[in-house]
Amino acid sequence: AQRVTQPEKLLSVFKGAPVELKCNYSYSGSPELFWYVQYSRQRLQLLLRHISRESIKGFTADLNKGETSFHLKKPFAQEEDSAMYYCALRAQGGSEKLVFGKGTKLTVNP
Amino acid sequence: DSGVTQTPKHLITATGQRVTLRCSPRSGDLSVYWYQQSLDQGLQFLIQYYNGEERAKGNILERFSAQQFPDLHSELNLSSLELGDSALYFCASSLVGQPQHFGDGTRLSIL
């Protein structure tokens, strides 16, 4: 079974502080991991895909297969980063459905 | 703009009724996915269609059904609606092996 865990429902930081949103997954095969962001219950927007290894809006995430984690990091948080962040897993070679974590609501305070 | 279009944006109806949600995928995308987002269950995969055929099924109730038409748009039909069906319903589309792009969602409210 595939499972994604985001242990923090809420995360609050000050502007300019580093931020890390945690994501752990459970899957016996080779997963593909994503981060999506949702502003004010609008459309989910793709933020990062682990195989692309790129940085979007200053965010990065590294897949750690040993720890089964895909934490999202940004060195200096901005107020506009306040949103819901969802980690998602897709099993390679099978159904292309996404399994989402429950999400973390990030608030960046001025 | 992700290119995925969902209509209507909002739906308000009563228990026991039936509604149809519509999704037009991005140009060229053959796969369409439906997800339900509720406060208690989070984002749940419902069903996937690929080029008109059902590809995968998730936690979709028997009261719900979907289809994908030859022009690749998809419809999600919800019947015998219950209060607990109130949620945001998202459609996403993708090319095979590529990330899914989501629409703006349909907010369904059951009174």
Side-chain angles (χ1 to χ4, degrees):
Chain A
Q2 301 152 29
R3 183 181 295 173
V4 176
T5 304
Q6 293 180 250
E8 304 135 330
K9 285 183 80 168
L10 302 169
L11 185 61
S12 183
V13 300
F14 286 102
K15 177 182 171 183
V19 63
E20 181 179 52
L21 292 89
K22 292 185 168 49
C23 171
N24 290 90
Y25 66 90
S26 172
Y27 178 56
S28 57
S30 184
E32 192 172 5
L33 276 296
F34 303 85
W35 277 99
Y36 281 84
V37 59
Q38 186 180 35
Y39 300 98
S40 302
R41 284 182 77 77
Q42 295 176 10
R43 167 170 49 92
L44 282 93
Q45 299 175 37
L46 177 66
L47 187 60
L48 284 175
R49 180 185 186 192
H50 92 267
I51 63 173
S52 64
R53 298 188 63 82
E54 56 186 339
S55 172
I56 304 290
K57 298 184 180 182
F59 285 96
T60 60
D62 288 314
L63 178 61
N64 186 323
K65 290 188 177 181
E67 295 183 0
T68 60
S69 68
F70 187 57
H71 303 328
L72 183 68
K73 299 177 184 178
K74 185 170 183 176
F76 307 103
Q78 302 299 314
E79 289 180 68
E80 55 266 29
D81 296 329
S82 296
M84 279 292 294
Y85 290 81
Y86 292 95
C87 183
L89 177 153
R90 181 167 71 185
Q92 290 197 18
S95 162
E96 296 201 45
K97 71 175 185 181
L98 290 171
V99 175
F100 285 91
K102 296 285 190 190
T104 297
K105 183 175 181 179
L106 173 66
T107 301
V108 181
N109 300 297
Chain B
D1 182 6
S2 68
V4 178
T5 305
Q6 289 188 247
T7 57
K9 286 194 183 320
H10 302 279
L11 256 180
I12 302 174
T13 188
T15 55
Q17 296 300 304
R18 173 189 169 95
V19 296
T20 297
L21 283 54
R22 183 188 168 104
C23 170
S24 293
R26 291 189 319 162
S27 177
D29 287 355
L30 298 180
S31 286
V32 170
Y33 312 78
W34 287 97
Y35 293 86
Q36 179 193 58
Q37 184 179 38
S38 60
L39 286 173
D40 53 344
Q41 295 292 323
L43 274 157
Q44 299 277 317
F45 168 73
L46 295 178
I47 198 163
Q48 177 199 359
Y49 278 82
Y50 176 79
N51 202 21
E53 295 197 3
E54 182 183 304
R55 174 68 71 94
K57 227 171 182 175
N59 299 323
I60 187 166
L61 299 171
E62 284 193 15
R63 299 184 286 108
F64 297 1
S65 64
Q67 54 185 325
Q68 187 179 27
F69 295 85
D71 66 353
L72 301 178
H73 91 271
S74 177
E75 292 181 358
L76 179 67
N77 300 296
L78 316 176
S79 62
S80 303
L81 287 168
E82 301 175 359
L83 292 176
D85 298 328
S86 294
L88 255 175
Y89 291 85
F90 284 108
C91 170
S93 74
S94 75
L95 292 167
V96 173
Q98 294 302 308
Q100 294 176 26
H101 294 268
F102 285 75
D104 289 334
T106 293
R107 185 176 298 278
L108 177 63
S109 299
I110 313 298
L111 303 179

